[in-house]
Amino acid sequence: MAAAAYDGTRESTSGFIVTIHPLVVLNISDHLTRLRVQNQDAVARTPQTCTRRAPFITLGPIAGCSLKGLFSAAMLFGALIGTQVGREIEVFNSYELPFSYSPDGGFLIDNAYFVSKQEQFRQVFPTYDLLGWYSIGSQPTDSDMRVHKQIMVHNESPFFIQLDPAMNLAVAKDLPLQVYESVVDLASTNAENAMKFARIKYKIETGEAERIALNHIARVSNADSERGSSLLANLTSQRNALKMLHSRIVILKAYVQDVENGTLPRDHGLMRDVASVCQRLPAISSDEYTQEKQDYNDTLLGVYLASITKGTHELNELVEKVNTIASSTRGSKGTHRGSMGPNSTALFV
């Protein structure tokens, strides 16, 4: 059934140059890892008659199996976004796509979520377009072709990235990743099955920021390893210190609340110690803290002065409006008083 969608030898002749950034590979790997961890119990409860327990499972009825739970735990789908200039394709990012299993033999992508997510990404990254989708497996199947046709509703010629989690990385020379595009097989006699997958060559390209991040990720190791990320060790020590500080503060807070409620007797010496602890933060004498505090105070002072200036300006406008109204009121009263002079009183005589 896999040979119907891809014969294992078909190569693309379109001339596309596909560039994949490391973030996409990390996203797909993270998606697969989380899916496996979250569904370990579901897969463990699968009956022994279900012999197809690989991360890539060919669709088909299996006796005694709960297809919905098994396939949901085994498959994953996501969308690829990036830029395309002529025949140069550059994939920058990706996001996951929810799906449901159709008993008639296929997966159904949540189209409403797909459209909503794409609109959200377009607001944040207006230059990124939908380029294709990704999944897992050893090679494309007819089921992948049905999903591919669903993506074609939003992109006429999407690309398909497939991660092979069963590849033996110890002997593999390349990444367990393949990129495909859809082509029309003119020699096919069946119009419905005329569309086939063709493999495209790709390259991995990293920016400076991505290189730094990948360096730290690659150096992360177990706690008992001699080699590890200095950043990880530093962050771990800071986390432990903050955790200990938080636990001490919680104890002090509980004590102060009990004293305030009358549950515990008031110990003035202990309360002074608590007050001194609370007042130690502004007494830190490091140059970094002093500089940061100075910058923070300068920022607050600028905001305060801006608020005062704005308030003064609004008050000045209010005074001008009041003066204008008062002067116009006095002028109208003078005019009214002048109209009731001797000439006007003669009319009443």
Side-chain angles (χ1 to χ4, degrees):
M1 194 170 183
Y6 178 67
D7 58 9
T9 60
R10 188 186 299 272
E11 299 287 340
S12 174
T13 58
S14 59
F16 283 107
I17 303 175
V18 179
T19 302
I20 302 176
H21 283 256
L23 179 59
V24 179
V25 183
L26 291 176
N27 286 344
I28 301 175
S29 302
D30 176 69
H31 191 180
L32 175 61
T33 302
R34 284 186 289 103
L35 196 67
R36 282 181 167 178
V37 172
Q38 294 169 1
N39 293 280
Q40 280 180 352
D41 295 337
V43 175
R45 291 193 297 267
T46 304
Q48 294 298 325
T49 52
C50 298
T51 57
R52 302 169 186 171
R53 290 192 181 183
F56 50 96
I57 300 180
T58 305
L59 290 179
I62 307 176
C65 293
S66 175
L67 290 180
K68 183 176 181 181
L70 180 60
F71 286 108
S72 297
M75 294 302 297
L76 58 86
F77 300 100
L80 305 170
I81 59 174
T83 60
Q84 179 175 359
V85 180
R87 294 189 176 277
E88 295 183 0
I89 311 295
E90 196 164 5
V91 186
F92 286 98
N93 205 343
S94 64
Y95 58 89
E96 303 171 14
L97 291 176
F99 65 93
S100 59
Y101 174 68
S102 177
D104 59 356
F107 296 99
L108 300 177
I109 302 298
D110 189 342
N111 189 67
Y113 177 87
F114 191 9
V115 174
S116 174
K117 194 72 174 179
Q118 190 63 23
E119 289 297 330
Q120 294 173 2
F121 264 92
R122 188 172 288 110
Q123 293 176 5
V124 181
F125 305 102
T127 59
Y128 288 3
D129 297 321
L130 174 67
L131 299 178
W133 63 289
Y134 69 82
S135 184
I136 57 175
S138 58
Q139 66 180 23
T141 64
D142 288 343
S143 174
D144 294 326
M145 180 56 71
R146 285 191 286 269
V147 176
H148 192 79
K149 291 180 179 179
Q150 296 180 46
I151 305 298
M152 290 179 65
V153 176
H154 308 279
N155 187 329
E156 295 181 355
S157 56
F159 292 90
F160 172 37
I161 294 181
Q162 190 172 47
L163 175 69
D164 186 1
M167 180 179 290
N168 187 358
L169 299 180
V171 297
K173 297 182 179 179
D174 299 325
L175 289 175
L177 207 70
Q178 296 295 339
V179 181
Y180 301 92
E181 69 168 337
S182 56
V183 296
V184 177
D185 186 6
L186 300 179
S188 176
T189 57
N190 190 343
E192 295 183 358
N193 298 326
M195 187 173 294
K196 308 294 182 181
F197 282 113
R199 186 166 54 189
I200 305 177
K201 295 182 179 180
Y202 67 92
K203 61 180 180 178
I204 302 295
E205 184 173 309
T206 61
E208 187 64 29
E210 292 173 323
R211 228 175 264 118
I212 296 173
L214 288 175
N215 181 41
H216 283 293
I217 293 175
R219 292 173 57 188
V220 172
S221 59
N222 296 329
D224 57 349
S225 176
E226 296 181 357
R227 296 181 60 188
S229 172
S230 59
L231 176 62
L232 179 63
N234 188 25
L235 292 178
T236 302
S237 61
Q238 291 184 6
R239 176 183 178 275
N240 294 335
L242 291 175
K243 187 177 180 180
M244 183 178 296
L245 176 62
H246 179 264
S247 62
R248 299 293 191 274
I249 292 177
V250 169
I251 295 175
L252 294 179
K253 180 181 178 181
Y255 172 75
V256 173
Q257 288 179 345
D258 291 339
V259 170
E260 185 177 3
N261 297 332
T263 307
L264 296 176
R266 182 182 298 272
D267 188 340
H268 294 284
L270 187 57
M271 294 297 291
R272 283 193 294 270
D273 292 338
V274 173
S276 64
V277 171
C278 296
Q279 295 174 358
R280 284 183 62 186
L281 184 60
I284 295 178
S285 59
S286 65
D287 296 336
E288 293 81 3
Y289 175 79
T290 303
Q291 182 62 35
E292 291 182 0
K293 185 179 179 182
Q294 183 65 35
D295 295 340
Y296 178 72
N297 291 336
D298 292 343
T299 303
L300 291 181
L301 181 60
V303 173
Y304 182 61
L305 291 177
S307 301
I308 294 178
T309 304
K310 182 179 179 181
T312 305
H313 178 69
E314 293 178 351
L315 181 61
N316 186 32
E317 290 183 349
L318 178 62
V319 171
E320 290 181 355
K321 292 178 181 179
V322 171
N323 291 336
T324 302
I325 295 175
S327 61
S328 61
T329 303
R330 287 195 299 269
S332 61
K333 289 183 178 179
T335 304
H336 179 69
R337 192 178 296 110
S339 62
M340 297 298 291
N343 294 331
S344 59
T345 54
L347 298 175
F348 295 97
V349 178

